[in-house]
Amino acid sequence: MLNHLSPVIEIILSLTGILVIGSIFAIISNNTIDRIAKNQPITTPSPYCHACAATLSWKDMIPIVSYLIAKGKCPYCGANIPRRNILIEISEILWVGLFIMKFGWNYPALLEMLFGMCLIAIIVIEYERRVLSESLLLFLLMLSAIYILAFNYTEFPRAITSMIIGSAVLLIYNLLKITTLKTKRIEFREIKFGAVLGLFFGLPLIYLCILLSWLIGAIWGSINIKYFGQKPKYALPDYPFILAISALIMIMFGEDILGHYYRWIM
Ligand SMILES: [Zn+2]
């Protein structure tokens, strides 16, 4: 698309695009995370301070810049803005930047980027509140269906198989928790999350995503037990959080890892 432009203009346009899209992602993410945590609708009322309920203007919402100008406080009541807000702003802009540097500007990449943005929101909500958001899951399901049907529709039957594999793994994990940790019930949202990832990644990437999440989970659990005095039951940590991290890595490097693997076994 940008082939006829001089390299300097191309870089300026790309950087502007990254900042604009990253900022929009960051504003939507912070807004959505707060509302999901409070069970509020996502679009109304317009963005507001969660301490004094003052409606925020566009000047108060410029990612990173507004936070630094107001020194991390609400400009209306002076309450501290959670540090998580600026961390999300930085990570969303970084995510978009890395993504565009690696994959360039194209429609499938934009959908994958959006999927990644939701995964970052899932990671944060899981970490803060231990809830896997139903509305985010539904949105991810919709994105995955569009992604497969618009760009990979011949893969659709394999994607359905992959969806079943993803949910089956999470079902087994839940049964494992019930038998070994005596947890009370099966978390159906986790199983839905596995299904959505299965649909999005397809075969064989979903296997890689699950394998990687087990590896991260094992390291995470061991570190927490050994150095932070967690109980041994932490060996089976809360999974959606780790699965989402693994999925983010897969979006960025999954195809590279598979490529290396195929070259290695040939
Ligand atoms: Zn306020």
Side-chain angles (χ1 to χ4, degrees):
M1 190 162 58
L2 299 173
N3 283 347
H4 311 294
L5 299 171
S6 81
V8 178
I9 297 187
E10 204 172 302
I11 290 173
I12 293 174
L13 280 181
S14 260
L15 277 179
T16 316
I18 288 167
L19 280 179
V20 170
I21 295 185
S23 302
I24 295 173
F25 277 11
I27 294 169
I28 298 176
S29 287
N30 271 327
N31 203 37
T32 315
I33 289 170
D34 287 331
R35 284 158 196 249
I36 283 174
K38 292 185 176 176
N39 271 331
Q40 285 176 331
I42 286 169
T43 45
T44 50
S46 34
Y48 62 93
C49 163
H50 284 261
C52 67
T55 305
L56 301 177
S57 76
W58 64 270
K59 279 180 284 178
D60 309 321
M61 291 193 291
I62 306 169
I64 305 173
V65 179
S66 300
Y67 187 91
L68 293 179
I69 289 177
K71 300 198 175 68
K73 294 186 189 307
C74 162
Y76 305 98
C77 69
N80 284 330
I81 299 170
R83 201 170 311 151
R84 177 255 281 159
N85 283 39
I86 189 154
L87 287 179
I88 288 204
E89 288 166 0
I90 294 170
S91 46
E92 293 285 6
I93 293 173
L94 265 182
W95 168 251
V96 174
L98 288 174
F99 204 90
I100 296 301
M101 270 161 58
K102 190 160 161 62
F103 298 103
W105 294 97
N106 56 64
Y107 290 118
L110 286 176
L111 270 186
E112 288 174 16
M113 215 158 68
L114 194 58
F115 198 90
M117 177 194 103
C118 296
L119 289 175
I120 295 178
I122 283 188
I123 293 170
V124 175
I125 300 176
E126 260 283 313
Y127 188 75
E128 283 184 349
R129 317 250 168 181
R130 300 261 167 269
V131 233
L132 189 52
S133 151
E134 191 90 46
S135 39
L136 269 178
L137 282 182
L138 198 65
F139 186 66
L140 285 181
L141 178 69
M142 207 179 70
L143 273 185
S144 309
I146 296 174
Y147 182 68
I148 291 288
L149 292 173
F151 304 111
N152 274 321
Y153 70 95
T154 49
E155 285 286 313
F156 194 68
R158 274 159 64 92
I160 296 293
T161 317
S162 164
M163 196 173 170
I164 296 168
I165 291 170
S167 44
V169 170
L170 268 289
L171 176 65
I172 294 168
Y173 183 78
N174 267 275
L175 293 176
L176 203 65
K177 275 205 293 193
I178 288 179
T179 46
T180 58
L181 302 181
K182 308 276 179 269
T183 46
K184 293 283 184 302
R185 59 197 177 88
I186 291 180
E187 297 286 344
F188 283 102
R189 288 185 186 189
E190 293 186 4
I191 295 169
K192 283 186 215 166
F193 188 35
V196 167
L197 290 181
L199 183 65
F200 183 77
F201 284 117
L203 292 171
L205 261 186
I206 185 65
Y207 288 122
L208 205 56
C209 181
I210 291 166
L211 274 178
L212 180 67
S213 67
W214 285 343
L215 184 67
I216 300 173
I219 297 171
W220 178 267
S222 313
I223 291 177
N224 271 292
I225 293 170
K226 191 158 168 40
Y227 298 105
F228 297 99
Q230 294 275 7
K231 295 196 181 77
K233 73 170 193 160
Y234 214 79
L236 289 177
D238 277 332
Y239 195 41
F241 164 70
I242 288 165
L243 196 57
I245 293 177
S246 166
L248 266 186
I249 298 174
M250 274 306 112
I251 295 181
M252 200 60 106
F253 303 109
E255 293 294 342
D256 300 339
I257 300 174
L258 271 188
H260 282 301
Y261 175 71
Y262 287 139
R263 273 195 297 277
W264 184 60
I265 57 169
M266 292 281 190

